[in-house]
Amino acid sequence: MPAVSKGDGMRGLAVFISDIRNCKSKEAEIKRINKELANIRSKFKGDKALDGYSKKKYVCKLLFIFLLGHDIDFGHMEAVNLLSSNKYTEKQIGYLFISVLVNSNSELIRLINNAIKNDLSSRNPTFMCLALHCIANVGSREMAEAFASEIPRILVAGDTMDSVKQSAALCLLRLYKTSPDLVLMGEWTSRVVHLLNDQHMGVVTAAISLITCLSQKNPDEFKTCVSLAVSRLSRIVSSASTDLQDYTYYFVPAPWLSCKLLRLLQCYPPPEDGAVKGRLVECLETILNKAQEPPKSKKVQHSNAKNAILFEAISLIIHYDSEPNLLVRACNQLGQFLQHRETNLRYLALESMCTLASSEFSHEAVKTHIETVINALKTERDVSVRQRAADLLYAMCDRSNAKQIVAEMLSYLETADYSIREEMVLKVAILAEKYAVDYSWYVDTILNLIRIAGDYVSEEVWYRVIQIVINRDDVQGYAAKTVFEALQAPACHENMVKVGGYILGEFGNLIAGDPRSSPLVQFNLLHSKFHLCSVPTRALLLSAYIKFINLFPETKATIQEVLRCDSQIRNSDVELQQRAVEYLKLSSIASTDVLATVLEEMPPFPERESSILAKLKKKKGPGTVSVTDLEDSKREGGELNGGGERGPDTAAMASSNASTPSPSADLLGIRSAAPVGAAPASAGSLLVDVFSEAGPAAPSAAVNDDGFLSSAPPSEDPAPPLPEADELLNKFVCKNNGVLFENQLLQIGIKSEYRQNLGRMYLFYGNKTSVQFASFTTTPQLNVQTKPVEPLVEGGAQIQQVLNIECLTDFSDAPLLNIKFRYGGALQNLTLKLPVTINKFFQPTEMTSHDFFQRWKQLSQPQQEAQKIFKANHGMDTEVLKAKLLGLGSALLDDVDPNPENYVCAGVIQTKGQQVGCLLRLEPNSQAQMYRLTLRCSKDSVSKRLCELLAEQF
C-alpha cells in the first residue's frame, strides 16, 4: 500500500470527530452535525471547484455521520468523482463511500461501473485491488452482470500480480454466491483449477475457497482438482515448519490452507487413481502421527491449529469410509480427546465419534469408549457436551449393549437438563423398541420412561407401546399387570393413565383372576384418576369403562351409575357428554352378543415403520441427525411386531435426486392428524423420478446424508415379468387400492393416491406362511434411489414400502418391480408391473356441451384421435360403467352428448413438463354388446395409450 503523506491526515476530520465526542447531550450532537452538513453542502454547491483533498475530507465526514446513524442524501457524485483520482487515498475513500452508501438501484451505478472498469484495465495492482474489493463488498447482481466475465480473465492472466489474483479469486467467490447463474467459468475452468499449483501460497488459499464452492455445485467440471489438491496437501504435510516460513503459524505449516484442501477433498469420493489414493492415505497417516507427537509450543494457538487439521482429516476419513485402519486410528485418537481438559475438544470428539459409530469398520472401536461416554453424560458441566454424549451412546448402541445404555439414559433422565429431555425420551423409546428381545423388558422400560419423564413423552411413544402390546400375545398379560401396579402410585402421570386405560380396557381380563386386581378394583383404580385428567384422557377412560362392561358384566351397574351422573351426561364438553350418553344407552339396550361384537378386542396393527424415529429427526432438524439414525431407520419397522401409527403422522418427506423439484414436504397432504381410533399411513419415504426419460441425476449430497441407498443390481438376474402381469396391471387402471398379487406364499397389497403430477404409493408385502422369508428385497427396475425394505419377514407378518412418484413426461410402459426372497432355502424370484399408468395423473375438467364439442373439433388432426370398436368383456351395467369412468380420473360430463346413452369425459393429464388435454367419448351398443371408444388428446401418444388401456376395462 502506498505510504500516506503527512498532508493526508485530514485535520478538519479529526477536529469534527473530537467535537462530536465532546458533546454533552444528544441535542448538542445533532446541532453540531447539522452545522457540519450545512457547511459541506455549501462547499459542494459553491462556485469554486474543490480540490481532491477537500472532496476526500468532506466525503469522509459524511461517511462518519452516516455511521453515527444519520441519513445522508447528498455527496454521492463527489464520491464517484474521487474514483477517477490518481491518488490512492482519494480513490480509497471514494470506493469506501460507494461500498457503504450506494445501493444497486442508484442512478450512479453506471458511472461507478465505468470507473471500476477503468481501474481494472489500468494494470495498477493497487487500483485493481480497490476495484475488486468494491465489487465484492457491493456484490449485487448488477455488479455480477457487469464484471463476471472480466474477473476470471484477470484471475488466470500470467502477468497479474499475486495480490490481485487473491482479490480476484475472493471477489469471484462473492459474486458466485450471490448470482451463480451469471458466473460461468467455461473455458477458464482448467486454468482456475491449476491455481492450486501456484507458487504463491496466498493465491492458493484464496483460489481453493473459490474452487470448493464451484465443486459443490459442479463436481464433474472440477474433478481434476482432486489430484492437484492431494499433491499440494502432500507437500504441506511433509514439509518442515521452516520450509513455509511465511505461512507457518505457531510451528504448524499453512494450517488454513491444509484445512481448506481437506474440505475440498470431501466434495469427492476416494480417488480412483491408485497412486493419488496412496499419496492421500499417506498424508492422512502423517497427520494422525503428528497428533501423537509432543507439542512444539505450549501456546493455545499451536494446539488449535494442529487440532483443526486433525479434525478435518478425520472428517475426510469418515467421508471416504473405505480405510479400516484409518477409521480405527481416528477413533482411537478421538478417544484420547474424550478426557481432554479442553471442553471444545471433548465436544468435537463426541460429535465426530457419532459419525464414526455408523461405519462397520469403526463401530466396535467406538464401543470400547462406552464407559468414558457414560461418565461424560453424568459429569459434564456443559449441557451441549452432555447432549453430544447422549447422541454418541445412541449411535453406538446395538444388541450387545442396549440394556446397559438404556439403563444409563433412564438414570440420567431423572436429572437431565430440561432442554434435552424430550430428545432423550425419544432415543430411549427407539432403542428399547429396536433392540428388544425380551418384550417384558420393553414394557418395563417405556413405563419407567413415562414415570421418570412423563411430561416429555410424546403421543408417538405411548401409541407405539400400545401397538406393540396389542400385536404380541405373549406380553399382554404382563403389560396389564405392570401398568396396574404402576397406576397404584399416589402421583401418576397422565400419560401413564392413558396407557393404563387402554391396556386394562383391552386386556384387564388377563389379570382379573387375582383378587388384588379384580374387575371392580381395576375400575376403581382407573376412576380414581379420572378427575385429575384432561378432556382427551377422560374420553379415553370412558371408552375403557364401556370395554369393562363387555369384559366384566359384574361391573355394569357401577359403571352405568358413573355414566349416568350429571357430571358426565351433562358435561360442558360435547365429546365427553356424547360418549357418556351413547355408552350408557349402548350398555342398556344392546344384548350381550351385540355388545361383544361392537366392543371386541382391537385387531393387530399392520406392520409399519415407527414414527418415533421420524419425530426425533424432525426435532433435531435437517443435517443434525447422526448417520446411525438414518442407516438404522431401514431396520426400524421390523424389529418388533409393531403396527401402524395411531395419531399424527410426523414422518418427513426425504430429499430426492438433484433433478427433482422440491414441493412442500407433504406432497399429497396426507400427513394431517388422525383421531386416536384411526391408523393413518406412515410416510417415511423418498421422492422418485419414475418417468424420467433421461435417467436420474447423480445423487445429491442431501440424499446421501439422509441415508438413502442407490438401487444396486441384485446378485441374481431379475425374472421376466409374470405372464399375468398385464392382466394384474389392467385391474388397477380404474382403481387405486387392492391386492396386486397373491400366491400361496406372498400377498402384495397396494394403496395409492395421486394429485396433479405427483403420486404416493404404498406397497404391503405379507408373508402368508408360518416360515420366515430371508434376504427379502424389492427392486423397482428403473433408475431410482430407494430405501430397502426389512430383509427378514416373519411368518404371518407384513412390511411396507413407500414410493413417492413424479410424472415428468407422458409414458407408455409401466415400471417393473422385482421381488426376491428365500423361502425354506429356495430362491423365489418374481417380477410384476407396478400399476402406474398415464391416466393416474388426470385432473378432471368440467365443460359445457358447447365447450366440449368446440374443443372436440379443434382436436381434429388424424394423429390426435384414437378409436377402437370392441366387444364388451363385461356386463353393460350403467352404474358400473360410470364408476369405471370416474375411476379413470377424468370428469364424467352429464347432458353433453346428444345421445343420452353415450358417455363423455374430459380431463387434463398433468406432467412436470406439460399439460395434455384429453376428451373421451364412449358409445355403447347394448343390442350388439359392442362399444366404440374415441379419444382425442393434444398429444397423439397419449391418445393411443389411453385407448389401449380403456379397451380392456369395458
Side-chain angles (χ1 to χ4, degrees):
M1 183 183 293
V4 178
S5 64
K6 189 174 182 182
D8 287 331
M10 291 187 287
R11 184 172 176 277
L13 175 64
V15 170
F16 174 61
I17 293 173
S18 178
D19 289 348
I20 293 294
R21 288 178 175 173
N22 291 331
C23 289
K24 302 298 184 184
S25 65
K26 187 69 176 174
E27 291 74 17
E29 178 183 307
I30 293 172
K31 184 178 178 181
R32 178 67 183 90
I33 287 172
N34 288 336
K35 179 182 175 183
E36 190 62 42
L37 286 173
N39 177 54
I40 296 171
R41 200 184 297 269
S42 66
K43 294 290 185 182
F44 284 168
K45 288 185 177 181
D47 297 332
K48 186 181 176 183
L50 292 175
D51 60 8
Y53 170 79
S54 299
K55 282 183 187 175
K56 177 183 71 171
K57 179 177 67 175
Y58 293 135
V59 166
C60 263
K61 286 183 179 181
L62 291 175
L63 190 55
F64 179 71
I65 292 169
F66 176 77
L67 295 177
L68 288 176
H70 300 272
D71 290 332
I72 300 298
D73 57 2
F74 69 99
H76 299 76
M77 181 56 78
E78 284 71 18
V80 172
N81 290 338
L82 285 176
L83 300 184
S84 59
S85 171
N86 286 324
K87 283 191 175 181
Y88 170 78
T89 53
E90 294 174 10
K91 192 181 288 285
Q92 181 193 35
I93 296 300
Y95 274 123
L96 182 60
F97 187 93
I98 298 297
S99 300
V100 175
L101 272 91
V102 175
N103 61 50
S104 59
N105 298 322
S106 171
E107 297 174 358
L108 300 173
I109 200 72
R110 186 172 296 173
L111 292 173
I112 295 168
N113 285 354
N114 286 336
I116 291 174
K117 283 181 180 176
N118 291 335
D119 283 336
L120 289 179
S121 59
S122 68
R123 311 311 296 171
N124 181 322
T126 306
F127 292 174
M128 291 176 77
C129 285
L130 283 175
L132 289 166
H133 294 168
C134 180
I135 296 169
N137 286 333
V138 176
S140 65
R141 189 167 182 85
E142 289 73 16
M143 286 287 189
E145 288 173 349
F147 302 109
S149 59
E150 175 70 11
I151 297 173
R153 185 186 60 77
I154 295 172
L155 177 60
V156 301
D159 58 346
T160 303
M161 291 188 66
D162 292 333
S163 59
V164 179
K165 284 185 179 180
Q166 287 178 259
S167 298
L170 296 175
C171 178
L172 201 58
L173 174 61
R174 162 73 168 156
L175 294 182
Y176 186 77
K177 285 182 176 179
T178 55
S179 306
D181 56 313
L182 297 177
V183 182
L184 304 173
M185 301 309 296
E187 59 184 302
W188 308 113
T189 300
S190 62
R191 296 177 70 178
V192 170
V193 169
H194 276 83
L195 288 173
L196 293 176
N197 279 335
D198 199 280
Q199 296 299 314
H200 194 275
M201 297 287 280
V203 173
V204 180
T205 306
I208 197 169
S209 297
L210 173 64
I211 293 168
T212 301
C213 187
L214 293 169
S215 297
Q216 288 168 349
K217 298 288 180 70
N218 306 294
D220 290 337
E221 288 184 32
F222 291 88
K223 61 184 177 183
T224 54
C225 70
V226 173
S227 58
L228 297 178
V230 170
S231 175
R232 176 62 80 169
L233 180 66
S234 177
R235 276 180 275 166
I236 296 171
V237 169
S238 60
S239 66
S241 57
T242 54
D243 295 344
L244 302 169
Q245 201 155 10
D246 292 341
Y247 289 89
T248 296
Y249 179 78
Y250 287 87
F251 304 102
V252 181
W256 286 276
L257 179 55
S258 300
C259 288
K260 288 185 176 186
L261 286 166
L262 289 164
R263 204 165 295 154
L264 171 61
L265 291 170
Q266 290 175 50
C267 297
Y268 292 92
E272 295 177 359
D273 187 317
V276 175
K277 186 175 181 180
R279 196 171 183 184
L280 177 56
V281 169
E282 188 180 333
C283 289
L284 295 172
E285 287 177 342
T286 304
I287 293 170
L288 292 174
N289 291 337
K290 285 186 176 181
Q292 301 291 335
E293 295 175 0
K296 295 180 181 178
S297 170
K298 293 184 179 179
K299 299 273 188 179
V300 68
Q301 291 91 336
H302 171 73
S303 60
N304 283 347
K306 192 174 173 183
N307 290 332
I309 297 172
L310 175 63
F311 276 101
E312 280 301 337
I314 290 174
S315 295
L316 181 61
I317 292 168
I318 294 170
H319 170 72
Y320 285 166
D321 195 20
S322 60
E323 297 291 331
N325 180 46
L326 288 177
L327 284 162
V328 172
R329 286 194 61 187
C331 181
N332 294 336
Q333 181 62 52
L334 292 171
Q336 295 176 20
F337 287 145
L338 291 179
Q339 295 176 310
H340 199 279
R341 58 185 176 83
E342 179 62 44
T343 305
N344 288 338
L345 273 182
R346 296 198 300 275
Y347 179 93
L348 290 170
L350 289 166
E351 188 175 50
S352 297
M353 287 185 82
C354 280
T355 317
L356 274 174
S358 67
S359 171
E360 59 178 316
F361 302 118
S362 54
H363 182 76
E364 292 300 320
V366 171
K367 281 167 57 180
T368 60
H369 301 284
I370 185 170
E371 296 300 333
T372 308
V373 179
I374 289 172
N375 187 56
L377 184 68
K378 294 177 178 177
T379 60
E380 280 288 351
R381 292 182 182 179
D382 192 317
V383 64
S384 61
V385 182
R386 295 199 297 273
Q387 186 165 359
R388 291 287 83 78
D391 288 345
L392 180 52
L393 282 176
Y394 176 75
M396 69 167 65
C397 188
D398 58 22
R399 292 198 184 280
S400 66
N401 57 18
K403 289 192 176 182
Q404 180 189 3
I405 287 176
V406 168
E408 293 292 349
M409 283 185 162
L410 282 172
S411 172
Y412 172 66
L413 254 178
E414 299 193 31
T415 56
D417 192 272
Y418 292 106
S419 62
I420 64 172
R421 282 195 179 189
E422 185 178 357
E423 189 178 320
M424 290 282 292
V425 166
L426 291 173
K427 287 178 174 175
V428 170
I430 291 168
L431 295 178
E433 178 183 344
K434 188 184 298 183
Y435 300 117
V437 177
D438 178 1
Y439 291 94
S440 59
W441 172 76
Y442 170 74
V443 171
D444 287 340
T445 300
I446 299 300
L447 295 183
N448 206 11
L449 191 63
I450 295 173
R451 181 185 62 79
I452 294 170
D455 289 339
Y456 300 90
V457 174
S458 63
E459 289 183 328
E460 284 80 7
V461 175
W462 73 265
Y463 289 162
R464 191 67 175 160
V465 70
I466 286 172
Q467 292 157 18
I468 288 168
V469 169
I470 286 175
N471 284 25
R472 300 291 309 189
D473 296 340
D474 55 341
V475 80
Q476 290 164 358
Y478 181 81
K481 176 176 177 294
T482 308
V483 80
F484 175 78
E485 292 170 354
L487 285 171
Q488 294 178 19
C492 192
H493 195 274
E494 189 168 335
N495 280 336
M496 187 73 80
V497 178
K498 291 176 183 176
V499 175
Y502 200 111
I503 289 179
L504 291 179
E506 292 291 329
F507 310 114
N509 59 307
L510 300 178
I511 59 170
D514 190 330
R516 292 170 296 178
S517 55
S518 65
L520 208 54
V521 172
Q522 289 184 42
F523 168 73
N524 289 332
L525 180 61
L526 282 176
H527 195 56
S528 67
K529 314 291 183 185
F530 187 88
H531 65 287
L532 300 171
C533 297
S534 63
V535 169
T537 307
R538 292 183 183 188
L540 187 149
L541 287 176
L542 290 177
S543 297
Y545 296 169
I546 190 68
K547 289 260 185 178
F548 268 46
I549 292 178
N550 178 47
L551 289 176
F552 314 116
E554 64 268 28
T555 63
K556 181 175 180 179
T558 306
I559 294 173
Q560 282 183 334
E561 191 63 34
V562 169
L563 295 174
R564 195 177 287 116
C565 68
D566 285 352
S567 61
Q568 303 300 342
I569 61 174
R570 298 189 181 184
N571 197 295
S572 59
D573 185 87
V574 176
E575 175 68 22
L576 292 180
Q577 184 187 107
Q578 184 176 353
R579 288 196 185 210
V581 170
E582 290 180 357
Y583 290 162
L584 180 62
K585 199 69 175 173
L586 179 66
S587 65
S588 302
I589 65 173
S591 67
T592 307
D593 291 341
V594 171
L595 203 62
T597 304
V598 173
L599 302 173
E600 66 180 352
E601 188 178 302
M602 288 293 292
F605 288 85
E607 186 67 37
R608 290 177 184 161
E609 285 191 337
S610 166
S611 67
I612 306 176
L613 186 78
K615 184 174 178 66
L616 176 62
K617 295 178 192 176
K618 187 176 180 181
K619 176 171 177 54
K620 289 174 77 67
T624 58
V625 182
S626 72
V627 175
T628 309
D629 299 353
L630 304 160
E631 292 199 346
D632 285 346
S633 66
K634 60 177 174 281
R635 301 195 300 268
E636 173 66 25
E639 289 294 341
L640 292 182
N641 193 19
E645 298 315 310
R646 287 179 169 242
D649 187 351
T650 55
M653 288 288 294
S655 299
S656 74
N657 292 353
S659 62
T660 306
S662 301
S664 62
D666 188 9
L667 288 182
L668 300 175
I670 57 178
R671 277 190 355 204
S672 55
V676 171
S682 178
S685 55
L686 65 156
L687 201 63
V688 177
D689 284 345
V690 173
F691 306 120
S692 171
E693 293 180 334
S700 67
V703 174
N704 292 334
D705 289 346
D706 279 346
F708 295 117
L709 309 174
S710 297
S711 300
S715 53
E716 296 87 1
D717 290 336
L722 294 175
E724 64 270 27
D726 286 323
E727 181 184 342
L728 297 172
L729 175 70
N730 287 331
K731 290 198 312 184
F732 286 86
V733 170
C734 294
K735 67 175 184 176
N736 291 332
N737 306 330
V739 176
L740 175 63
F741 172 79
E742 186 168 12
N743 62 13
Q744 68 272 25
L745 304 179
L746 177 70
Q747 182 188 64
I748 303 174
I750 190 167
K751 180 181 179 183
S752 53
E753 298 181 65
Y754 295 88
R755 181 176 298 169
Q756 295 185 348
N757 69 318
L758 303 174
R760 178 179 291 172
M761 179 180 289
Y762 298 86
L763 293 166
F764 303 93
Y765 305 97
N767 183 348
K768 295 174 63 178
T769 73
S770 58
V771 180
Q772 182 188 70
F773 289 169
S775 305
F776 192 89
T777 60
T778 64
T779 309
Q781 292 185 16
L782 51 159
N783 291 325
V784 302
Q785 293 190 321
T786 184
K787 191 174 178 181
V789 293
E790 171 64 29
L792 298 178
V793 184
E794 299 294 340
Q798 185 186 76
I799 60 173
Q800 173 190 297
Q801 186 175 31
V802 187
L803 291 178
N804 282 340
I805 302 161
E806 181 181 21
C807 181
L808 301 181
T809 184
D810 64 282
F811 60 99
S812 298
D813 296 328
L816 300 179
L817 174 70
N818 178 246
I819 301 120
K820 290 197 189 75
F821 59 92
R822 293 195 174 275
Y823 170 73
L827 176 68
Q828 308 293 319
N829 186 349
L830 59 106
T831 300
L832 302 168
K833 290 188 176 182
L834 278 174
V836 183
T837 48
I838 189 65
N839 64 289
K840 299 297 184 185
F841 304 98
F842 251 131
Q843 291 297 298
T845 305
E846 296 293 337
M847 303 176 81
T848 64
S849 178
H850 175 266
D851 292 338
F852 179 87
F853 285 106
Q854 184 179 19
R855 181 63 178 150
W856 184 268
K857 290 174 184 176
Q858 290 172 354
L859 298 172
S860 57
Q861 296 180 20
Q863 66 270 25
Q864 292 178 323
E865 180 178 287
Q867 189 177 84
K868 194 166 186 178
I869 299 172
F870 54 94
K871 193 166 184 64
N873 298 318
H874 312 284
M876 301 181 77
D877 182 86
T878 304
E879 294 304 318
V880 173
L881 285 175
K882 286 184 178 179
K884 287 189 175 181
L885 288 170
L886 287 170
L888 178 68
S890 57
L892 182 59
L893 308 179
D894 295 326
D895 303 323
V896 169
D897 196 292
N899 184 349
E901 300 293 324
N902 295 346
Y903 299 91
V904 173
C905 299
V908 176
I909 288 178
Q910 301 273 357
T911 71
K912 182 185 176 184
Q914 65 181 132
Q915 296 181 337
V916 182
C918 300
L919 302 178
L920 177 149
R921 196 176 185 192
L922 181 66
E923 301 167 83
N925 184 336
S926 53
Q927 291 182 345
Q929 290 290 298
M930 301 282 287
Y931 289 102
R932 179 165 68 182
L933 174 65
T934 310
L935 277 132
R936 291 189 179 182
C937 301
S938 55
K939 196 166 184 182
D940 56 345
S941 56
V942 175
S943 306
K944 293 174 184 174
R945 180 56 180 156
L946 285 175
C947 194
E948 292 169 3
L949 288 171
L950 293 178
E952 302 294 328
Q953 303 302 309
F954 305 109

